[in-house]
């Protein structure tokens, strides 16, 4: 989870950990890029509006790196502007959740994209 607001990090990690997901929380884009390359997470929940480096730039750099390009990215943001949704998808994001989020929606979307990514990797390797 990448978000600069501690409340969002805590609530999202609580939701996911209660449902048996292993979670790493990061509060800025530069750290997210380093952690993603070291840990290769199965999925990234990425805030769009952060200081220094926004979620669009983090996504752009993740998708430009061969080591991290296949990690599914779900944008989390208070912005519901259609142009931002389009930009997120164009940069390689797989989904877009607007804040305030509903815990069940987050879980359903995370599970769906983890399943799809796993299935795609199985298909590519088999």
């Amino acid at each position: 989870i990448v978000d600069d607001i501690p409340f969002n990090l805590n609530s999202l990690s609580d939701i996911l950990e209660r449902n048996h997901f292993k979670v790493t929380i990061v509060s800025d884009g530069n750290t997210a890029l380093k952690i993603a390359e070291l840990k290769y997470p199965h999925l990234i929940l990425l805030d769009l509006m952060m200081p220094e480096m926004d979620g669009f730039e983090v996504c752009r750099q993740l998708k430009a790196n061969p080591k991290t390009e296949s990690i599914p990215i779900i944008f989390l943001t208070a912005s519901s502007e259609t142009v931002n949704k389009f930009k997120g998808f164009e940069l390689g994001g797989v989904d877009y959740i607007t804040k305030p989020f509903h815990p069940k929606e987050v879980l359903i979307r995370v599970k769906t994209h983890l399943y799809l990514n796993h299935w795609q990797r199985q298909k590519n390797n088999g």
Side-chain angles (χ1 to χ4, degrees):
I1 305 168
V2 185
D3 199 314
D4 61 316
I5 299 173
F7 175 80
N8 292 336
L9 288 171
N10 291 334
S11 58
L12 284 165
S13 65
D14 285 347
I15 292 164
L16 294 170
E17 287 172 345
R18 277 196 318 260
N19 285 274
H20 312 289
F21 288 100
K22 185 177 176 186
V23 177
T24 301
I25 58 174
V26 177
S27 60
D28 67 89
N30 285 317
T31 305
L33 294 171
K34 292 173 190 168
I35 296 293
E37 193 164 344
L38 290 173
K39 289 191 170 189
Y40 191 80
H42 292 122
L43 183 135
I44 296 173
L45 292 171
L46 179 60
D47 184 27
L48 185 59
M49 293 178 250
M50 296 183 293
E52 296 180 36
M53 182 185 303
D54 68 15
F56 289 139
E57 183 57 28
V58 174
C59 182
R60 188 179 349 268
Q61 290 189 34
L62 288 167
K63 295 303 177 182
N65 181 342
K67 289 184 178 180
T68 58
E69 68 183 350
S70 64
I71 300 170
I73 297 171
I74 298 176
F75 285 103
L76 282 163
T77 182
S79 173
S80 61
E81 293 180 32
T82 304
V83 67
N84 285 338
K85 290 180 183 180
F86 291 158
K87 186 173 181 179
F89 287 123
E90 288 168 354
L91 289 172
V94 297
D95 212 338
Y96 197 99
I97 301 171
T98 54
K99 299 175 189 175
F101 51 82
H102 190 281
K104 190 169 185 175
E105 178 186 9
V106 172
L107 282 173
I108 289 169
R109 291 177 187 263
V110 165
K111 288 177 182 179
T112 297
H113 289 291
L114 286 172
Y115 171 79
L116 291 171
N117 187 259
H118 175 75
W119 181 81
Q120 185 67 36
R121 280 197 250 169
Q122 292 288 345
K123 184 179 169 195
N124 289 342
N125 292 331

